[in-house]
């Protein structure tokens, strides 16, 4: 099962995201998401849309919940990339809160 998990994490580009301010998380996850999207675009050239997720984080900077607010892309790999990278990211310490992330995915970008 360990090898299968590693293969899946590689397929959806789950990596260590540098933590900190939400803008830095947005940029880092956006880069990983773009890589996953480009790979999926090779299989489905019509793939496009917007992903919007909301993360609740505790005072320690850990995500406690990730909600999918909107998903017009409708691709499991793309959604998994955004979800798991946002889930594993570190958020501002000492500031529990909710952060909304929006990713616009289009072939011509």
């Amino acid at each position: 099962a360990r090898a299968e998990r590693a293969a899946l994490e590689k397929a959806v580009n789950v990596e260590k995201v540098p933590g900190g301010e939400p803008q830095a998380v947005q940029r880092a996850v956006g880069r990983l998401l773009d890589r996953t999207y480009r790979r999926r675009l090779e299989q489905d050239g019509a793939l496009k849309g917007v992903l919007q997720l909301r993360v609740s984080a505790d005072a320690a900077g850990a995500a406690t919940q990730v909600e999918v607010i909107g998903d017009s892309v409708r691709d499991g790999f793309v959604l998994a990339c955004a979800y798991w990278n946002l889930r594993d990211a570190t958020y501002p310490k000492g500031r529990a809160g909710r952060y909304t992330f929006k990713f616009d995915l289009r072939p011509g970008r």
Side-chain angles (χ1 to χ4, degrees):
R2 209 178 297 240
E4 292 169 341
R5 178 181 174 162
L8 183 58
E9 286 179 350
K10 184 177 179 183
V12 297
N13 292 304
V14 175
E15 296 183 11
K16 179 73 175 158
V17 174
E21 293 302 314
Q23 299 86 351
V25 173
Q26 172 87 34
R27 283 190 303 275
V29 172
R31 283 190 294 275
L32 295 170
L33 189 57
D34 187 62
R35 205 179 323 157
T36 302
Y37 174 68
R38 296 285 167 213
R39 188 175 312 133
R40 298 296 294 159
L41 196 57
E42 292 172 3
Q43 297 168 356
D44 181 357
L47 194 63
K48 64 181 177 181
V50 176
L51 281 178
Q52 192 168 3
L53 297 97
R54 181 180 301 129
V55 177
S56 298
D58 61 18
T64 57
Q65 182 178 14
V66 178
E67 301 171 74
V68 178
I69 299 171
D71 176 7
S72 63
V73 180
R74 290 183 171 62
D75 181 87
F77 285 93
V78 172
L79 180 59
C81 176
Y83 180 92
W84 287 108
N85 282 302
L86 289 171
R87 177 83 173 138
D88 293 344
T90 304
Y91 298 89
K93 294 187 184 339
R95 284 191 341 218
R98 293 168 61 164
Y99 306 96
T100 301
F101 298 91
K102 183 177 180 182
F103 304 97
D104 189 4
L105 303 168
R106 306 271 176 223
R109 297 180 337 123

